[in-house]
Amino acid sequence: MNEEQRKEMSQIQSKDPNSADQNNLNRIKQKTSDDFMKYFETTYQPPNMRDAQRRKKKDTDVLYDFSIPEDMDQSGSGKKYMIRTYGCQMNEHDTEVMAGIFEAMGYESTSNTKEADVILLNTCAIRENAENRVFGEIGHLKPLKLENPNLVLGICGCMSQEESVVNRILKKHPFIDLIFGTHNIHRLPQLLKEAMFGKEMVIDVWSKEGDIIENLPRSRKGNIKAWVNIMYGCDKFCTYCIVPYTRGKERSRMPKDIIQEVRHLAAQGYKEVTLLGQNVNAYGKDLDIEYGLGDLMDELRSIDLPRIRFTTSHPRDFDDRLIEVLAKGGNMLDHIHLPVQSGNTDVLKIMGRKYSREEYLELVGKIRTAMPEATLTTDIIVGFPNETAEQFEDTISLVEEVGFEHAYTFIYSPRDNTPAAKMKDNIPMDEKKARLQRLNKIVNQQSADAMSQYEGEIVDVLVEGESKNNPDVLAGYTKRNKLVNFRAPDSVIGQIIPVKIIKAKTWSLDGELVQEKVEVN
Ligand code: SAH
Ligand code: SF4
Ligand code: F3S
């Protein structure tokens, strides 16, 4: 709890016991004590991470039957919803689906918590600090709930899939109305109804994934770039990672459904699509047909859409067919995010990554041969249990050898119920922090070096809109995912235009419009 929230809490506690707030608090407590205990003993099913770990053979059913139940149709008319999103692109996209469901019920979106009738926190469980941020926010929202008992406060996303989180909310944050997980967002209308009209906290978390529901509505953020799920879940079970428990087993969407969605986005004028999955290179393995990510990309190549990316790649499943298709260029971008996690084979083994340092470097060699211009970026974990100084040196040398142009770097964070969390760890936190700092310095330098090579070059920029830091400047990305800021009229937003790079910074490039081409556009 931060200083501000602490102050808010003490204000609530010091209020007159007869005040409206206190009465509301009593009502909420009442709701969650007697009735809830009864419910807890009879109906409550906590999420079970052991169940979540079990993979069943049965094929996932694909359903096209989503609809808003009659009694919830237009139930949001005159009301507002707000969704706060934490975590990865998968969560960002789930938020777009939930926003689509809200809007199909007649709700409008708001970014003002005071105006909202429903607030959902779409949470991430990947590291402890991600979870702490959410618990901080829950504390922050409590006064709102006290002021307005009709407000529906819900927690969804990956944290909801954890037993310990749900139990903590039950014990410490009983004013939460609704908890649901990642496998049942299509039930949002029913869950909202239960939360609004029922007496108890509604908890609906499925430990096992369900079917793939194809016709969910989506309210996409923006009309230039779009996300498209190609698969759900992860079967890799890296020993440090919680995702296989929170997202269930790997399930690929049918190629025809993906192709249709991408075609539709192209027809609507979108300029870039990012295909999403936790391990996109495993795409198709669970389907009855011989078909992988390379085959899918080859079909998508013919769609009239300027840019197609995918994330995230796992080195183990990255095959030659995919490299061959990417090398054809066109709308296939030669920026590959290829998380390595560690440069030491022993650490990779304990992490359960299923490749060695040498195999990773061999894959990088193949990619570079087929796509000499390719930009490589990565994810790295520092301070895995008992990582030695020498093992860390291997990570540094690999980063230098590959020449990653960007890396997301993390200090290892133990996650409940994962194998690594049970490992004894003798490395002090100060040492881990020092390693992270050293790594970041090298990564930043490599990023700055890569940027400096663009000075004087003309690059194609997909213009997204005003820069976040300066409304007088427009911002967009190159094919290789470099952020470019430049001055230009708003009319170029949504276009891909040539920009001359004037100055390179560590994380971005400053450019100027190449005038003649814009007139042609
Ligand atoms: N599916 C992707 C990664 C998803 S999570 C992949 O396999 O590459 C994003 C990143 O978070 C991971 O690449 C890893 O670097 C980091 N991460 C995952 N679990 C972590 C943990 N317990 N502690 C620290 N970092 C972690
Ligand atoms: Fe986690 Fe590994 Fe799956 Fe990535 S591949 S989501 S790191 S288990
Ligand atoms: Fe976080 Fe879940 Fe994504 S744990 S990183 S939101 S899959």
Side-chain angles (χ1 to χ4, degrees):
M1 192 182 287
N2 63 33
E3 207 38 54
E4 214 174 306
Q5 292 155 1
R6 213 169 276 136
K7 244 187 276 160
E8 251 162 313
M9 279 306 288
S10 67
Q11 268 171 9
I12 295 165
Q13 282 154 1
S14 65
K15 286 247 166 94
D16 173 358
N18 294 323
S19 72
D21 278 359
Q22 191 62 39
N23 287 339
N24 285 338
L25 187 59
N26 288 341
R27 272 177 50 201
I28 292 163
K29 274 193 187 144
Q30 184 67 31
K31 169 178 144 182
T32 49
S33 55
D34 309 342
D35 291 336
F36 186 70
M37 282 323 289
K38 218 189 297 156
Y39 164 73
F40 191 81
E41 281 152 18
T42 51
T43 351
Y44 167 60
Q45 285 278 330
N48 180 324
M49 295 178 77
R50 207 166 274 179
D51 271 358
Q53 186 177 9
R54 290 194 191 111
R55 296 305 192 238
K56 54 181 187 235
K57 282 261 159 39
K58 182 192 153 292
D59 284 341
T60 307
D61 286 326
V62 183
L63 306 175
Y64 298 83
D65 62 354
F66 176 82
S67 63
I68 304 286
E70 232 169 76
D71 56 347
M72 290 305 276
D73 194 25
Q74 294 313 308
S75 59
S77 165
K79 291 187 178 170
K80 297 201 168 147
Y81 75 93
M82 190 180 113
I83 310 175
R84 207 158 263 174
T85 315
Y86 303 79
C88 65
Q89 293 97 329
M90 206 74 65
N91 254 17
E92 295 275 353
H93 189 44
D94 282 352
T95 289
E96 293 182 336
V97 172
M98 291 189 285
I101 298 177
F102 272 117
E103 287 166 27
M105 286 188 288
Y107 281 86
E108 266 178 57
S109 83
T110 177
S111 53
N112 179 351
T113 49
K114 295 217 162 84
E115 265 182 24
D117 299 282
V118 184
I119 299 178
L120 294 184
L121 304 184
N122 190 7
T123 62
C124 170
I126 201 80
R127 282 169 291 275
E128 196 185 355
N129 56 4
E131 298 205 348
N132 289 344
R133 280 175 61 209
V134 170
F135 279 114
E137 184 62 19
I138 292 176
H140 208 64
L141 292 172
K142 184 174 179 177
L144 270 182
K145 177 74 192 171
L146 297 184
E147 268 168 39
N148 172 14
N150 293 328
L151 168 70
V152 174
L153 261 187
I155 308 294
C156 58
C158 288
M159 278 170 71
S160 304
Q161 297 289 145
E162 288 180 276
E163 294 153 49
S164 58
V165 168
V166 174
N167 289 334
R168 180 166 162 188
I169 293 175
L170 282 170
K171 282 204 197 102
K172 300 206 171 143
H173 309 282
F175 55 92
I176 295 291
D177 302 285
L178 169 62
I179 305 178
F180 61 102
T182 56
H183 302 309
N184 51 348
I185 59 182
H186 59 282
R187 294 198 67 239
L188 182 58
Q190 289 88 338
L191 295 174
L192 269 181
K193 185 175 151 190
E194 286 173 38
M196 278 167 184
F197 301 113
K199 279 189 180 163
E200 301 93 11
M201 187 191 292
V202 176
I203 303 171
D204 194 40
V205 183
W206 301 359
S207 298
K208 290 201 165 205
E209 64 288 329
D211 299 316
I212 293 182
I213 319 257
E214 275 300 341
N215 64 329
L216 292 169
R218 288 173 175 83
S219 172
R220 295 186 191 269
K221 209 166 138 196
N223 51 9
I224 301 169
K225 305 212 285 194
W227 285 302
V228 171
N229 287 119
I230 61 167
M231 60 191 300
Y232 304 96
C234 181
D235 284 346
K236 278 279 178 278
F237 289 101
C238 302
T239 54
Y240 51 82
C241 184
I242 200 159
V243 171
Y245 308 84
T246 64
R247 292 274 168 177
K249 75 166 178 154
E250 278 172 7
R251 290 148 289 149
S252 301
R253 286 177 72 195
M254 296 301 289
K256 70 171 173 51
D257 291 324
I258 299 168
I259 293 166
Q260 191 188 40
E261 187 175 343
V262 176
R263 280 220 176 96
H264 190 61
L265 290 165
Q268 286 176 289
Y270 281 87
K271 296 291 189 303
E272 180 174 310
V273 157
T274 303
L275 308 178
L276 287 184
Q278 283 302 343
N279 171 14
V280 286
N281 306 78
Y283 174 75
K285 283 188 165 180
D286 57 313
L287 297 175
D288 287 339
I289 44 176
E290 272 293 308
Y291 192 91
L293 182 61
D295 303 303
L296 178 67
M297 292 298 272
D298 209 22
E299 290 205 60
L300 295 176
R301 249 167 28 86
S302 61
I303 297 180
D304 184 17
L305 190 119
R307 293 180 173 189
I308 302 181
R309 302 179 188 275
F310 54 86
T311 199
T312 303
S313 281
H314 190 293
R316 163 88 178 191
D317 298 318
F318 207 111
D319 59 18
D320 294 351
R321 167 79 175 131
L322 178 62
I323 297 177
E324 171 203 320
V325 173
L326 294 180
K328 295 181 187 174
N331 55 6
M332 307 278 98
L333 301 193
D334 49 6
H335 162 225
I336 297 172
H337 186 66
L338 194 62
V340 65
Q341 314 300 357
S342 164
N344 176 272
T345 297
D346 288 340
V347 174
L348 287 169
K349 197 171 205 168
I350 314 171
M351 285 178 163
R353 291 293 288 181
K354 303 184 180 75
Y355 54 84
S356 63
R357 173 191 176 94
E358 290 69 30
E359 283 164 337
Y360 185 89
L361 289 172
E362 195 188 319
L363 174 61
V364 168
K366 276 194 206 169
I367 294 173
R368 291 240 191 270
T369 308
M371 289 175 272
E373 302 278 288
T375 291
L376 288 174
T377 57
T378 200
D379 292 353
I380 294 167
I381 296 177
V382 167
F384 190 75
N386 299 317
E387 178 194 57
T388 64
E390 295 76 41
Q391 289 169 332
F392 174 66
E393 288 308 319
D394 283 347
T395 296
I396 296 280
S397 70
L398 182 124
V399 166
E400 290 174 336
E401 188 171 340
V402 177
F404 294 114
E405 294 186 15
H406 182 261
Y408 294 102
T409 57
F410 311 102
I411 290 184
Y412 164 74
S413 168
R415 305 283 64 215
D416 261 3
N417 288 303
T418 59
K422 297 180 191 88
M423 295 174 194
K424 199 166 160 243
D425 187 3
N426 294 312
I427 311 295
M429 189 44 95
D430 282 350
E431 171 65 24
K432 296 187 185 202
K433 285 185 180 159
R435 286 181 196 174
L436 183 73
Q437 262 187 6
R438 202 176 133 216
L439 175 64
N440 284 346
K441 221 171 141 195
I442 293 169
V443 170
N444 292 355
Q445 188 56 51
Q446 288 186 187
S447 171
D449 289 348
M451 290 297 196
S452 68
Q453 294 180 9
Y454 286 94
E455 280 185 2
E457 299 274 307
I458 292 177
V459 289
D460 283 339
V461 176
L462 170 54
V463 191
E464 292 187 14
E466 282 173 8
S467 150
K468 280 188 195 124
N469 305 323
N470 179 359
D472 297 335
V473 171
L474 295 183
Y477 285 86
T478 69
K479 280 176 95 171
R480 302 210 171 89
N481 224 21
K482 305 287 185 228
L483 174 62
V484 182
N485 293 305
F486 58 102
R487 280 177 202 277
D490 283 358
S491 57
V492 300
I493 294 173
Q495 291 187 38
I496 296 177
I497 56 159
V499 175
K500 182 165 182 188
I501 302 307
I502 303 300
K503 188 168 181 267
K505 298 179 171 169
T506 306
W507 305 116
S508 65
L509 301 164
D510 287 344
E512 67 183 20
L513 209 55
V514 180
Q515 289 295 344
E516 319 86 80
K517 282 286 178 66
V518 170
E519 274 155 29
V520 173
N521 270 324

